[in-house]
Amino acid sequence: TNLAQVHLRFTLSAQYCPLCLKTAAYHHLIWTPVSAAICLEHDCLLVNQCSWCKKRLSIQEIVRRQCSGCQVDLSAVEPISAEGDQLGIQSQQLIKACLSGADVTGLPGMGSLPSRHPAVLYHFLGNLSRRLLNCGKDWPSLHTPLNGLADHIAAPTRHLQTLTPEEGFHLQKAAFTGI
């Protein structure tokens, strides 16, 4: 498979932060990876569909702040907070640092991470996430936070592309515990 298809969201299946969109009509590059699930500036889940008609959104619609299906204002969406979910936020900080090539050991709470290149850690986290999707039936027997993962992923899937930001957030958090 093409690496871009595995790791990046399609331009017609984009996601955004409603609070960032209220400030300015743009699309952050960091919202493009499939592994990105929250806005680290606002600690809220990203949104990947129209809250009214449930249509998948394009980058163009996000920049215009309007769903082309029902014309709803995308910046008016009430954000879902991830504040207080420290493990989930740390997993997203690790993903962002890995994607930027930063030294991940300097991140708060990440001092015990293995001393590896950020690309290696990102690849490992991605593989772990995909393996967790493949063993979904076994989640109830796994330890916290995995034992609640099945409650967050609505239907069995084998593709990270099809997950909502909330499902991706919980999956990445679960995979992060493996590191």
Side-chain angles (χ1 to χ4, degrees), residues 22-53:
K22 282 182 184 183
T23 305
Y26 62 94
H27 185 267
H28 268 292
L29 190 57
I30 193 62
W31 299 336
T32 306
V34 170
S35 57
I38 67 171
C39 170
L40 289 170
E41 182 180 338
H42 298 108
D43 289 343
C44 68
L45 289 173
L46 298 175
V47 176
N48 73 329
Q49 64 183 9
C50 174
S51 62
W52 182 254
C53 71

Side-chain angles (χ1 to χ4, degrees), residues 74-129:
L74 298 175
S75 66
V77 172
E78 192 63 37
I80 299 172
S81 178
E83 194 173 1
D85 190 335
Q86 205 53 39
L87 188 60
I89 291 170
Q90 283 180 323
S91 71
Q92 291 293 302
Q93 289 170 332
L94 174 65
I95 289 167
K96 183 178 180 181
C98 286
L99 289 171
S100 67
D103 177 17
V104 297
T105 57
L107 294 172
M110 310 261 187
S112 62
L113 282 176
S115 179
R116 298 287 182 258
H117 190 278
V120 172
L121 289 174
Y122 182 77
H123 185 70
F124 181 76
L125 187 63
N127 281 337
L128 201 51
S129 297

